[in-house]
Amino acid sequence: MDGGVTGSLKPFNIALDGPAGAGKSTVARMVAGALGFIYIDTGAMYRAVTWKTLRRGVSPEQADEVTAIAGAMDIELLPGAQGQRVRVDGEDVTEAIRMPEINRNVSAVSSIAAVREILVGLQKELAAGKGVVMDGRDIGTRVLPNAEVKVFLTASVEERARRRFGELSNPDITLAQLAEEIAVRDRMDSEREASPLARADDAVLIDSTGMSLQEVVDAVLDLCKAKRGGEE
Ligand code: DC
């Protein structure tokens, strides 16, 4: 474990982007814990809008209605003992936003440019002047273009599918089907017009295929140390 970057660092922003299943949220949470920073899961915000859209009986294809919903809802990301809790208009949706129905619809919602504008605005506000680790798809390119540390975390489709499969307690899907789902989501996230998944020119690429979680966390902490080491 790298203890050299903890302590009295001035707050700064870490942008962590990458495709689905690359381990971003776990890595981001651990890095935030090591630095005493706030972890912000932007995917949860797109999931929350998707949840509210479906709850209202609105199709994710109805861009204007979805945008109105996104503009009027209150999304809270709260630190909790078991990880971040998510509340929409006061209702806890932490588990609900991870359901397969949300997985199937969230790409459509997150491809609506006006929805992205609303959420990107909120994300910028959440990070301003604070020590945050923010994970997503467009953090280094669009949300926090001036982040002091930018990482693009990836792994092969097969490795990402294996990791997700290992997390399922009652898999009703085969490993091959899961890999195909991940590949489809990669394509939708990378090919959409509005802020596609992309590596920022100044982001450091970490391919975690074959790396342990701790090795990835240490690599990110090393980058923080290299960037900020002289500024204490
Ligand atoms: O990271 P995740 O799987 O929870 O993200 C859910 C979806 O939200 C994913 O399909 C991509 C989208 N997303 C996005 O478009 N921009 C972000 N900053 C974060 C997530």
Side-chain angles (χ1 to χ4, degrees):
M1 187 71 206
D2 188 339
V5 284
T6 54
S8 58
L9 274 191
K10 269 201 303 194
F12 62 97
N13 291 169
I14 302 171
L16 187 55
D17 291 300
K24 294 186 302 294
S25 57
T26 312
V27 170
R29 201 176 314 116
M30 289 175 69
V31 169
L35 296 174
F37 282 13
I38 302 164
Y39 163 52
I40 300 170
D41 172 3
T42 62
M45 298 170 80
Y46 289 93
R47 288 172 178 275
V49 175
T50 307
W51 176 84
K52 181 98 188 188
T53 298
L54 298 179
R55 153 79 65 106
R56 282 278 177 84
V58 169
S59 157
E61 312 301 327
Q62 296 172 266
D64 290 346
E65 282 83 347
V66 179
T67 305
I69 289 170
M73 68 194 272
D74 180 37
I75 306 174
E76 290 172 282
L77 304 178
L78 309 160
Q82 315 298 326
Q84 177 189 259
R85 311 286 312 166
V86 183
R87 278 209 305 240
V88 169
D89 300 327
E91 181 171 346
D92 193 314
V93 297
T94 310
E95 279 79 34
I97 62 169
R98 303 288 157 194
M99 293 297 160
E101 200 190 2
I102 304 292
N103 292 343
R104 280 194 296 272
N105 288 285
V106 67
S107 283
V109 167
S110 60
S111 68
I112 302 171
V115 168
R116 302 198 69 84
E117 221 161 278
I118 292 166
L119 294 188
V120 168
L122 289 175
Q123 290 155 11
K124 284 179 189 276
E125 273 174 35
L126 286 171
K130 298 197 199 81
V132 302
V133 186
M134 189 175 279
D135 84 16
R137 306 295 191 284
D138 59 344
I139 310 305
T141 51
R142 172 127 195 260
V143 181
L144 304 175
N146 298 320
E148 283 81 353
V149 175
K150 295 185 187 178
V151 173
F152 193 86
L153 182 63
T154 189
S156 68
V157 170
E158 296 72 26
E159 171 102 6
R160 288 186 280 136
R162 266 196 302 278
R163 289 179 192 163
R164 278 272 155 104
F165 195 74
E167 287 164 7
L168 299 174
S169 45
N170 256 323
D172 54 0
I173 185 169
T174 67
L175 183 59
Q177 283 168 334
L178 197 58
E180 177 55 25
E181 260 190 36
I182 289 177
V184 167
R185 200 131 73 91
D186 280 359
R187 260 199 307 281
M188 287 179 78
D189 290 346
S190 306
E191 289 174 4
R192 70 167 175 241
E193 248 167 67
S195 302
L197 166 67
R199 176 184 168 193
D201 292 337
D202 51 351
V204 174
L205 177 74
I206 299 180
D207 183 341
S208 71
T209 310
M211 286 172 83
S212 73
L213 180 57
Q214 193 60 56
E215 283 170 337
V216 178
V217 171
D218 286 345
V220 178
L221 288 174
D222 281 346
L223 289 173
C224 296
K225 189 163 68 173
K227 277 270 177 184
R228 309 294 300 197
E231 299 187 17
E232 278 184 72

